[in-house]
Amino acid sequence: MTLALDDEKRVAVAPGPAADRGRARLRWPVRAGSVVAAVALWQVLTAANARLWVRFDRFPGPADVAREFGRQLRTGQYYLDVAQSVVRIASGFALAAVLGVAVGVAVARSRWANDLLGPLLEIVRPVPAIALVPVAILLFPRNEQGIVFITFVAAFFPVVVSTRHAVRALPPVWEDAVRTLGGGRARVLASVVLPGVLPGVFGGLSVGMGVAWICVVSAEMISGDFGVGYRTWQAYTIVDYPGVLVGMITIGVLGRVTSGVVELVGRRATRWLPGEEGRR
Amino acid sequence: MTPLSLRAEGATLGYGGRAVCTGLDLAVRPGEFLAVVGASGCGKSTLLRAFAGLLPPTAGAVMADGAPVAGPSPDRALVFQDDALLPWRSARRNVELPLAIRNVPRDRRRADADAWLARVGLADAGRRLPRQLSGGMRQRVQLARALAARPRALLMDEPFGALDAQTRAAMQRLLLDVLADAPATVVFVTHDVDEALLLGERIVVLGPAGVEQEIPNPRSATSDPARRAQVLAALGAPATGEEAA
């Protein structure tokens, strides 16, 4: 026998998608417009050779940069550099994500792990990853491994810190519920802790992706022989300013795309959050 | 599955050296529906946590079927007041959880979970996430999840406390109904005297020094005003209020 209770109708209904779509139609032109306005300002300042304390008279204009960009896009070198940097980011970031979550959970859930790893983490954390370049050169037989190591270190700490915090902020009722249903430590870890910390972890991953780009580019500038950062610095040493700006724009676009991917994956993985009701 | 007997003997319960309840003696017969009332902070929830095995007593003993309780067990299910469903799992996947823990094969797990959801009147809500359900529906899912573990004792901590009167009345009927064909010992903590009178076969008034009063309460369709007055007096409240907490 089933009982028909009449509280179904009190369930919140997501707001109609029509209103949302209307607002979204307006947002895209605004977003594109802000970028276009910045480029237009850049064009005006460089075309007028403006000298307003900051000097634009020798600064390459958008047209020069676009021409240089077009030229580079037709060379194989450009794609090779992009691929090199993306592979470095991807491997360093993936390592940081996996180890960062593992260490963060261990430190937050086990007193032993906290006593063993906690002080070490707190001492290494303040050292900027880019200051580890000499260490990386000494430690790793190949340049490539050193750069991935630096990228890994950069992204690792934000992930550890946010994971540790997210584990400690988990409401205890979920763990109690699973334990009273017969779940052991492994079950609590797999069914409560790991899914429960995801919102916090993705916060750390977003920050981590940002600093990973900063560090991969800096490391490439110092010790690379390929990659977007290396190419940008290379252009500077031969006084090829349009080339420098092409490098910077490339880094900006790659950074935007990768953090967008992290954001998107995070949204999909945490659709159960209360704030995600009518969002897309 | 035979219902479990539960027993506390001279039990002192508390958190971090602070005792909430001292020298508690209480026995629950197999299959009995025991309602526990008492002022706020008198250790009602603490008692349930001890029976569930989440909180070891600092002195005395807590036993299930004559054996000391060493930790949580699927024999003793705990139903919480609210928000104990895993919010990233759909209603059905929440109900499947105890079955997955018991290594029930996947297809049987699903059929079982659907049957329990239908039993609590939520046959169509299996795919919804907890945040897409009302408070009453979430508590019904929680009840289904607890029962899917086939517990021999149900420990309920103000499970309907956050619901409006109408939904609560429906949930109370549903609970008695489900228990009729899935018998279990029930320890039901509530701050609502009328709920205790409606559901309990025996009512225990709990205080910091243990059981203050025991009132047998043969269930009947109409609640006995004398017994209501007796419970309210034991709670030390003027006999007018709905709630004694």
Side-chain angles (χ1 to χ4, degrees), chain B residues 2 17 32 34 49 55 59 61 77 106 112-113 137 146 154 205 216 237:
Chain B
T2 52
E32 181 182 19
L34 177 73
R49 292 181 69 81
L55 180 81
R106 196 173 290 270
D112 251 32
M137 292 162 90
L154 257 182
V205 181

Side-chain angles (χ1 to χ4, degrees), chain B residues 130-144:
Chain B
R131 67 167 159 82
Q132 296 165 319
L133 301 170
S134 69
M137 292 162 90
R138 281 201 296 273
Q139 286 311 83
R140 278 188 274 162
V141 176
Q142 220 200 130
L143 184 61

Side-chain angles (χ1 to χ4, degrees), chain A residues 235-258:
Chain A
Y236 170 68
T237 57
I238 58 168
V239 211
D240 171 14
Y241 288 114
V244 171
L245 285 165
V246 168
M248 289 180 173
I249 292 168
T250 306
I251 294 164
V253 169
L254 288 177
R256 174 71 190 85
V257 169
T258 46

Side-chain angles (χ1 to χ4, degrees), chain A residues 1-8 10-12 170 173-184 187 191-193 195-197 269 271-277, chain B residues 49 52 54 72-74 76 78 80 83-89 97-98 100-101 118-119 121 128-129 131-132 134 136-137 140 145 149 164 166-167 170 174 177:
Chain A
M1 190 203 89
T2 55
L3 288 180
L5 306 185
D6 57 356
D7 55 349
E8 261 95 311
R10 250 176 280 119
V11 175
L170 275 179
V173 64
W174 295 336
E175 182 173 348
D176 287 346
V178 170
R179 288 181 63 207
T180 52
L181 293 171
R187 168 61 67 172
S191 294
V192 177
V193 177
V197 298
R271 246 187 245 166
W272 50 271
L273 285 176
E276 295 292 303
E277 192 75 52
Chain B
R49 292 181 69 81
L54 292 171
S73 144
R76 287 165 271 124
L78 188 51
F80 301 82
D83 290 328
L85 295 178
L86 301 181
W88 49 85
R89 282 176 169 249
L97 188 61
I101 290 172
R119 189 69 191 79
R128 287 203 241 165
L129 289 171
R131 67 167 159 82
Q132 296 165 319
S134 69
M137 292 162 90
R140 278 188 274 162
R145 181 175 74 175
D164 59 86
Q166 213 183 335
T167 313
L174 172 65
D177 225 67

Side-chain angles (χ1 to χ4, degrees), chain B:
Chain B
M1 225 37 115
T2 52
L4 205 62
S5 75
L6 295 167
R7 188 179 199 87
E9 276 174 12
T12 298
L13 307 171
Y15 307 91
R18 193 179 58 87
V20 176
C21 193
T22 49
L24 177 71
D25 287 300
L26 177 65
V28 191
R29 290 186 302 275
E32 181 182 19
F33 196 125
L34 177 73
V36 178
V37 294
S40 289
C42 73
K44 303 187 296 276
S45 301
T46 315
L47 173 66
L48 287 191
R49 292 181 69 81
F51 277 147
L54 292 171
L55 180 81
T58 47
V62 172
M63 312 209 276
D65 257 1
V69 168
S73 144
D75 273 353
R76 287 165 271 124
L78 188 51
V79 177
F80 301 82
Q81 179 165 2
D82 201 4
D83 290 328
L85 295 178
L86 301 181
W88 49 85
R89 282 176 169 249
S90 65
R92 182 199 285 129
R93 299 243 306 132
N94 262 288
V95 179
E96 281 180 5
L97 188 61
L99 305 166
I101 290 172
R102 274 205 337 243
N103 290 321
V104 173
R106 196 173 290 270
D107 45 337
R108 255 203 51 209
R109 219 188 277 173
R110 198 180 162 130
D112 251 32
D114 281 339
W116 279 113
L117 281 172
R119 189 69 191 79
V120 297
L122 289 176
D124 302 328
R127 298 183 60 180
R128 287 203 241 165
L129 289 171
R131 67 167 159 82
Q132 296 165 319
L133 301 170
S134 69
M137 292 162 90
R138 281 201 296 273
Q139 286 311 83
R140 278 188 274 162
V141 176
Q142 220 200 130
L143 184 61
R145 181 175 74 175
L147 292 169
R150 302 255 169 209
R152 300 169 61 199
L154 257 182
L155 308 166
M156 308 186 82
D157 192 359
E158 303 198 24
F160 312 143
L163 306 179
D164 59 86
Q166 213 183 335
T167 313
R168 185 189 304 191
M171 291 288 297
Q172 290 162 343
R173 279 197 306 276
L174 172 65
L175 175 62
L176 294 181
D177 225 67
V178 172
L179 283 171
D181 37 55
T185 310
V186 181
V187 181
F188 189 103
V189 162
T190 177
H191 62 254
D192 179 342
V193 174
D194 292 309
E195 187 169 60
L197 287 164
L198 177 74
L199 296 174
E201 293 168 329
R202 183 162 61 114
I203 299 170
V204 155
V205 181
L206 209 62
V211 175
E212 286 181 349
Q213 200 158 352
E214 274 192 51
I215 300 148
N217 181 50
R219 268 190 216 134
S220 61
T222 53
S223 104
D224 179 349
R227 202 145 42 225
R228 187 170 193 274
Q230 190 186 357
V231 176
L232 283 170
L235 285 165
T240 49
E242 259 273 294
E243 297 178 359

